[in-house]
Amino acid sequence: MWSVQALVVHLLLLGSILSIYFQSTILSDLEPLSTLRELGLEPPADRLVVFVVDGLRAQSVLADHCSAVPDLRELFVDHALVGISRACPPTVTRPGHIAIFGGFNEDPAATLTNFAWNPSTFDTVFNRSRNAIGWMQDEVAKVFTHLPTGGAPLRFETFARSDISDRLRLDQWTFDKVRSFLTNEQNVQPLRDSTSVVFFVYLSDIDLAEHAHMPNSLNFREKLNYTQRGIRQTYELFESVFNDSRTAYLMTADYGMSLHGGGGDGEVETPFILWGAGVKRRAPDPGKNFTASENGTILPLYQLEQIQLAPLMSALIGLPPPMNNMALMPLGFLNTSVQYELQVLHLNAMQLLAQARILIKRHEDGILYLLLPKFESLGSAEIENYPQIIKYLVAKEQYEEALKVSHKIAKLAQECMEYYHGYYHLPLLVATTASYLVWFYLLLVRLARESNHPKSECKGYLTWTTLMMCLGGLVLLELMILQRVPHLTAFYLLLPFGILILALAERPCLDKGLMCQFPVLHLVGIVAPGVLLILMAFHNSHIGLLYLPIVCLNNRRAFFRPSLKLIFWLVLVFLLSGILVVKQSPSLHFITDTIGVYIGNSHVVYFSMILSIIRPLILGHQHSTRAWIVNMAALLVTAYGIYQWDAGQPVCTYVYAACWSYLLFAFLSIPYSGTKDLRRRLELIIFNMLTVHIMLTTSIGSLFVQIMVTEFVLGLELYEESFSYANLKDAITTQQQDNQGLEESRNERPTNPLEHVRQSYRYAALILLYFYVSFFGTGHWFFNFTFKPMTSRLFLPQFHLHMLVAFILLKVFIPSIIVISSIYALVSFGRRNPRSIFICLFLMNDVMSLYFCYFVINRGSWEKVRESLDHLLVSHVFIILLLVCSWIAKGFLANTKKDKPLPRAQVQVVNNANLAQDSQA
């Protein structure tokens, strides 16, 4: 029951953190504003053509006097505004397009789907236009086609990369489709008299070219030259087809290609070139210039936020900004009257105030809002008075003053939305911290009860303290209902009360000060492993340097009794540490690169197969004939499948069938093997699981795991031998135990609370350490953790994401299954007290989870966002999977005989013959 409780609490704690950082900020129930034509003003343009060049950096356009874009340079020197629009990281395709056409930066909730999908719906320039036509890649179209369009479907013609054989001819497909559309009079005629038309031309070759070539390479410049010439020709085609000077043009990029998702200048600085109908030849001086030609032509370089393009495009064709727009339209870019620009800015302000009004109303609808903090600079009264102020100023023809008022209140609306979007951030963070602390208390209470024998009954829920906490939770719930706190937020604010009630009910009836025992041991046992792993594994990536001293310190007693087993174990320890250090040190990668020249990845896997057969023979493992035959046959089939894969041949169907059959056999044959001896059962677990791991491995991972498993089992044996030896020696020296006592010292661990807690922390720390060692050693590490299809190459003929994830998780956790099984099989304390060990494991892990809770990043560089999210998910989800590993280990070891004490006569012989001499020594 406690494991189910731990699972539920961890999911709730994870949900609480996600609710702090990844709640959607997109508002619904917004009403579109009137268009400029409906307000009696004629917009300067009837149609807008937007060229979005995927991955084009601003520097690629502006460098060397704009020599890379000669055709566009001729155009913007005399007719266009040129500048830099700053994208907001993460700089990937979807957020960039949403910023350009939606006017807001991608919602933080989309981070959880890797910015591939957002459950919220939002408004765009396409929705407002009611007449949107485009040519683009299917992945880009999917960003917009699922959105409500106001009854006018988007007319997007799409392609998939797989449809075009030459990967750098996608732009040619787009230009050809645009030309085919515009040269067909049946397509053009209905559009000649249409207004507020948006043409979207998406060009993707530049992104692919920057992947394939360096941005300064000749090949890249040739590709950029082709694309910019195509843009110029397409512009001239539009002008010849719509020969009415009523078309505006914008060329920009979704992000700059340097590193997908990055936050450097190369990624966030994208070019924009704006020209055509309604565009002013010179905007207000930006304070920056650039040289536009070899003749020394100096032009102003304007600076915009990428999201400002949406209200600017809308203004050119007489549309209100998209309803979810968060940007303020730049002033001075429109070649219109001041009245038109004022009306555009007024609509922008009204659209921002509409969103702010919803957030303010949510707060003011609560009965207790007068007692709570609020955004002082803007309230419902100011929002209601704003239109009247603008009408008064317009009536007085004080247009400049009206522009200032609109601009000021629009800025206040932006600040107001930011304030209320983060209104419950701090309370939720405090509640989450309290939930963690109460959860620690609950685990410590459980550990105190587990370490004392006989166990005391728990107090249960019918006590005054639990009833008072229930009453306090109900009072807080009532207050939140009165204040109309969002349901999910209210739930997580109440979470500490629920966990505290569980903890109070878990307290023992006979409280003998158990919680006050061993405070230093608890502090060191909980904090030290967490801190060391955070420093050495998560932040500095030096887990190899952490592993070596920890395992040597753990087996320090074995150094006083040198043996061949000890030397072999030390060789394995140093070998593993060396592998980890080499993999984590970029300066040492020349070692693996040199080895890779002569030895391929598949050769390492073949060697792992041979080692998996030789290793049991060397260690003297005893397996049934059936186990040998089945495992060797599975390895032969695996070798043949890998050979086919490497040769580029389709993997044989019989290989898939054999691998799936062995996978079932490997798990089901262990508990039904007929082997009752614990050690022989463990040997079979290791044999089968390592064979499965080889099937999922593509390189050195399986070899690393075999070395690690061998080292871990030898280390446990050395520890058990040294511990038993020390206990027997102490017993003979003091002569305070009879033969029965010696038997207990040989086969049972001390049962006093101090020793129980110490051993629990020890084995929990080992499980956690070896999990991270195997996690990194098998080729996975947080931000670099990738779902490689090769992992399932012998099981699935085609890519299947969910099955692939399952196989990768199986590969990651097979070493942990073996480690936990080894502890249960070889350590009597581990068999008798798995709950205590996992309680300590939860305590250590959750200290790391609490730490990562304060450093979650939901905006900015995708690398940083992904890394912080990975840390959070690893520390929350993987501990649950380790608990599942313990269930699997228990199932594997079911129906086995426990080890028995040595016969009394044998103990006496050992006593009289050997230990007496050792004690004298």
Side-chain angles (χ1 to χ4, degrees):
M1 181 62 185
W2 80 273
S3 56
V4 175
Q5 185 184 84
L7 171 63
V8 173
V9 170
H10 266 79
L11 292 177
L12 291 177
L13 290 173
L14 178 61
S16 179
I17 297 173
L18 296 181
S19 71
I20 297 173
Y21 297 101
F22 299 104
Q23 283 201 45
S24 176
T25 57
I26 298 177
L27 298 176
S28 56
D29 300 328
L30 293 168
E31 295 293 333
L33 299 176
S34 301
T35 66
L36 274 300
R37 281 188 172 86
E38 292 172 344
L39 295 175
L41 295 173
E42 183 65 20
D46 290 332
R47 63 196 71 86
L48 170 72
V49 181
V50 184
F51 300 95
V52 175
V53 184
D54 195 344
L56 180 60
R57 301 186 304 166
Q59 190 61 28
S60 297
V61 174
L62 301 176
D64 298 329
H65 313 303
C66 306
S67 60
V69 288
D71 296 281
L72 291 180
R73 180 175 61 183
E74 292 179 4
L75 184 66
F76 64 64
V77 163
D78 297 321
H79 302 96
L81 300 178
V82 181
I84 294 175
S85 63
R86 292 189 62 84
C88 178
T91 48
V92 288
T93 298
R94 177 188 168 87
H97 282 80
I98 291 177
I100 293 171
F101 296 104
F104 65 94
N105 293 315
E106 178 70 298
D107 192 60
T111 305
L112 302 179
T113 63
N114 201 17
F115 293 96
W117 177 72
N118 193 324
S120 303
T121 59
F122 51 88
D123 194 27
T124 66
V125 174
F126 301 130
N127 300 22
R128 296 299 99 230
S129 74
R130 301 295 201 280
N131 207 342
I133 304 167
W135 302 268
M136 69 208 68
Q137 189 176 338
D138 53 357
E139 294 180 0
V140 176
K142 290 176 183 177
V143 177
F144 305 105
T145 51
H146 76 285
L147 301 172
T149 59
L154 306 180
R155 297 164 60 187
F156 287 170
E157 189 171 356
T158 64
F159 67 89
R161 288 188 180 180
S162 58
D163 297 337
I164 302 175
S165 58
D166 193 334
R167 61 194 304 265
L168 289 180
R169 287 292 180 266
L170 305 180
D171 289 0
Q172 181 179 340
W173 179 94
T174 303
F175 290 136
D176 289 345
K177 289 295 182 180
V178 175
R179 185 177 298 106
S180 175
F181 180 89
L182 293 178
T183 54
N184 188 335
E185 186 62 24
Q186 292 181 350
N187 295 329
V188 176
Q189 184 58 40
L191 299 175
R192 295 189 191 280
D193 299 324
S194 299
T195 58
S196 302
V197 182
V198 178
F199 293 95
F200 175 27
V201 182
Y202 171 76
L203 305 167
S204 59
D205 274 354
I206 295 301
D207 178 60
L208 299 176
E210 283 178 312
H211 278 294
H213 314 290
M214 295 297 292
N216 297 322
S217 67
L218 179 61
N219 290 332
F220 172 77
R221 289 177 66 89
E222 289 177 353
K223 188 67 229 177
L224 177 57
N225 184 59
Y226 172 82
T227 299
Q228 64 90 30
R229 186 185 306 116
I231 294 174
R232 174 67 183 267
Q233 293 171 351
T234 303
Y235 152 69
E236 292 173 349
L237 181 60
F238 268 100
E239 285 296 291
S240 63
V241 172
F242 300 100
N243 189 19
D244 56 3
S245 299
R246 297 285 295 173
T247 306
Y249 301 87
L250 170 66
M251 192 217 77
T252 186
D254 49 359
Y255 60 90
M257 180 58 212
S258 177
L259 173 67
H260 271 301
D265 289 343
E267 292 87 21
V268 302
E269 291 187 351
T270 65
F272 78 85
I273 303 174
L274 185 67
W275 75 99
V279 179
K280 186 177 289 187
R281 182 63 190 89
R282 284 288 183 269
D285 186 10
K288 285 188 176 183
N289 301 309
F290 72 102
T291 304
S293 68
E294 290 81 356
N295 298 329
T297 304
I298 304 297
L299 295 178
L301 184 66
Y302 300 97
Q303 303 282 331
L304 292 179
E305 296 297 321
Q306 191 176 53
I307 59 175
Q308 290 182 284
L309 295 175
L312 181 58
M313 289 189 293
S314 300
L316 285 170
I317 53 178
L319 297 176
M323 291 185 289
N324 299 105
N325 169 68
M326 299 285 288
L328 189 58
M329 192 200 74
L331 297 177
F333 281 63
L334 299 180
N335 187 22
T336 60
S337 65
V338 65
Q339 293 92 332
Y340 185 90
E341 190 168 36
L342 171 60
Q343 189 61 54
V344 166
L345 184 59
H346 174 62
L347 286 178
N348 192 180
M350 291 297 293
Q351 171 264 324
L352 292 171
L353 289 172
Q355 296 179 80
R357 181 188 289 110
I358 291 177
L359 296 174
I360 294 172
K361 188 175 185 301
R362 287 179 184 176
H363 181 69
E364 294 182 349
D365 281 349
I367 295 177
L368 307 176
Y369 83 95
L370 292 175
L371 305 176
L372 297 174
K374 64 179 180 179
F375 187 73
E376 299 292 345
S377 302
L378 184 66
S380 297
E382 289 83 354
I383 294 176
E384 296 298 330
N385 292 335
Y386 164 70
Q388 305 303 323
I389 295 175
I390 294 299
K391 286 183 179 180
Y392 174 78
L393 292 175
V394 170
K396 295 289 186 179
E397 297 185 355
Q398 297 179 11
Y399 301 120
E400 293 297 329
E401 182 64 23
L403 282 170
K404 293 179 181 178
V405 171
S406 295
H407 190 273
K408 179 180 178 181
I409 200 165
K411 293 289 290 184
L412 288 176
Q414 290 176 316
E415 296 171 8
C416 178
M417 284 187 282
E418 183 178 359
Y419 176 83
Y420 283 111
H421 280 314
Y423 191 79
Y424 292 104
H425 179 96
L426 182 59
L428 280 171
L429 192 59
V430 171
T432 302
T433 303
S435 297
Y436 268 103
L437 296 178
V438 175
W439 172 240
F440 293 156
Y441 173 71
L442 172 57
L443 291 175
L444 289 172
V445 169
R446 283 189 178 277
L447 182 60
R449 290 185 60 219
E450 292 288 332
S451 63
N452 285 268
H453 299 281
K455 294 181 182 178
S456 174
E457 293 292 330
C458 58
K459 290 186 176 181
Y461 296 96
L462 297 179
T463 63
W464 283 109
T465 51
T466 54
L467 291 177
M468 290 298 294
M469 292 309 302
C470 288
L471 181 60
L474 290 174
V475 171
L476 180 59
L477 175 61
E478 182 62 29
L479 292 176
M480 288 190 291
I481 291 174
L482 292 175
Q483 184 53 32
R484 297 191 177 183
V485 175
H487 296 160
L488 190 63
T489 300
F491 175 79
Y492 287 120
L493 290 176
L494 286 172
L495 184 59
F497 286 88
I499 301 177
L500 183 57
I501 291 170
L502 293 176
L504 294 175
E506 190 67 26
R507 291 178 304 164
C509 293
L510 299 176
D511 190 354
K512 301 177 181 179
L514 299 180
M515 289 300 299
C516 299
Q517 292 179 327
F518 328 125
V520 176
L521 177 59
H522 284 305
L523 182 63
V524 174
I526 296 172
V527 176
V531 171
L532 288 174
L533 282 173
I534 288 172
L535 292 177
M536 306 299 284
F538 287 87
H539 288 333
N540 296 318
S541 297
H542 293 309
I543 196 170
L545 301 178
L546 174 66
Y547 161 78
L548 177 62
I550 291 295
V551 295
C552 290
L553 183 64
N554 178 60
N555 266 350
R556 60 190 179 278
R557 290 178 178 174
F559 289 95
F560 296 102
R561 298 184 66 225
S563 63
L564 184 61
K565 181 186 287 188
L566 175 64
I567 295 174
F568 184 43
W569 174 76
L570 283 174
V571 170
L572 295 178
V573 168
F574 280 99
L575 180 60
L576 285 174
S577 300
I579 293 174
L580 289 169
V581 169
V582 170
K583 288 173 72 71
Q584 291 182 303
S585 301
S587 60
L588 299 178
H589 283 178
F590 71 92
I591 299 176
T592 55
D593 295 339
T594 303
I595 296 174
V597 173
Y598 303 99
I599 303 175
N601 289 336
S602 296
H603 297 118
V604 179
V605 179
Y606 294 146
F607 179 74
S608 300
M609 297 178 188
I610 297 173
L611 182 62
S612 68
I613 299 297
I614 297 176
R615 193 189 66 86
L617 297 174
I618 296 175
L619 298 177
H621 291 180
Q622 299 179 9
H623 297 299
S624 64
T625 304
R626 180 185 64 180
W628 281 109
I629 293 174
V630 173
N631 278 274
M632 291 179 68
L635 290 172
L636 288 174
V637 171
T638 300
Y640 179 63
I642 293 175
Y643 167 78
Q644 288 186 308
W645 177 276
D646 290 342
Q649 303 173 6
V651 178
C652 180
T653 304
Y654 296 110
V655 172
Y656 292 128
C659 290
W660 276 105
S661 300
Y662 179 78
L663 181 64
L664 296 175
F665 170 84
F667 280 87
L668 297 179
S669 65
I670 294 173
Y672 300 105
S673 63
T675 303
K676 301 296 183 182
D677 181 71
L678 272 171
R679 180 174 290 276
R680 289 194 61 188
R681 184 70 67 86
L682 175 63
E683 292 169 357
L684 182 59
I685 292 171
I686 296 173
F687 198 17
N688 285 5
M689 291 298 102
L690 289 181
T691 302
V692 174
H693 197 273
I694 289 173
M695 291 179 170
L696 300 170
T697 283
T698 59
S699 182
I700 195 176
S702 181
L703 184 62
F704 181 90
V705 169
Q706 290 190 59
I707 298 172
M708 189 199 77
V709 167
T710 306
E711 179 276 316
F712 181 75
V713 173
L714 286 177
L716 277 184
E717 292 176 351
L718 286 170
Y719 181 85
E720 290 298 301
E721 291 171 3
S722 62
F723 197 95
S724 300
Y725 181 83
N727 286 346
L728 289 168
K729 182 177 175 180
D730 292 342
I732 293 302
T733 303
T734 59
Q735 298 183 355
Q736 294 178 347
Q737 295 183 338
D738 58 11
N739 290 339
Q740 177 64 29
L742 292 176
E743 294 171 11
E744 294 176 356
S745 67
R746 168 66 180 85
N747 295 282
E748 302 291 338
R749 287 287 173 264
T751 57
N752 65 81
L754 175 60
E755 184 65 17
H756 183 104
V757 173
R758 189 180 68 82
Q759 291 284 11
S760 298
Y761 279 121
R762 175 183 174 274
Y763 290 113
L766 285 178
I767 293 173
L768 201 59
L769 173 65
Y770 277 89
F771 165 72
Y772 284 106
V773 167
S774 66
F775 186 59
F776 179 77
T778 52
H780 301 290
W781 198 240
F782 305 124
F783 183 67
N784 293 324
F785 188 93
T786 54
F787 297 102
K788 298 180 180 178
M790 287 181 65
T791 301
S792 61
R793 66 195 186 284
L794 300 180
F795 293 90
L796 301 172
Q798 297 177 345
F799 177 82
H800 192 287
L801 179 60
H802 298 94
M803 292 299 298
L804 177 61
V805 171
F807 279 118
I808 290 177
L809 291 178
L810 176 62
K811 175 188 171 185
V812 167
F813 283 96
I814 279 178
S816 294
I817 293 174
I818 298 175
V819 166
I820 296 171
S821 298
S822 302
I823 292 175
Y824 290 170
L826 300 178
V827 183
S828 57
F829 178 86
R831 284 192 302 280
R832 296 194 312 272
N833 302 283
R835 181 176 299 184
S836 297
I837 293 174
F838 266 84
I839 287 173
C840 294
L841 188 61
F842 274 103
L843 285 166
M844 296 173 184
N845 180 83
D846 291 346
V847 165
M848 296 191 293
S849 301
L850 179 59
Y851 169 80
F852 292 131
C853 169
Y854 294 101
F855 298 96
V856 175
I857 301 173
N858 61 358
R859 289 194 183 276
S861 168
W862 177 224
E863 181 176 358
K864 297 297 183 182
V865 173
R866 170 75 183 273
E867 185 176 14
S868 71
L869 190 57
D870 283 349
H871 290 171
L872 187 68
L873 294 177
V874 163
S875 58
H876 275 85
V877 177
F878 281 17
I879 186 64
I880 300 299
L881 296 178
L882 284 175
L883 186 60
V884 174
C885 291
S886 75
W887 297 341
I888 296 174
K890 289 178 181 178
F892 283 166
L893 296 171
N895 302 319
T896 53
K897 296 179 180 178
K898 305 298 186 286
D899 54 347
K900 296 181 179 179
L902 290 171
R904 187 181 299 270
Q906 289 185 10
V907 176
Q908 290 176 348
V909 171
V910 175
N911 176 8
N912 296 329
N914 298 329
L915 294 181
Q917 296 177 6
D918 291 334
S919 64
Q920 292 173 3

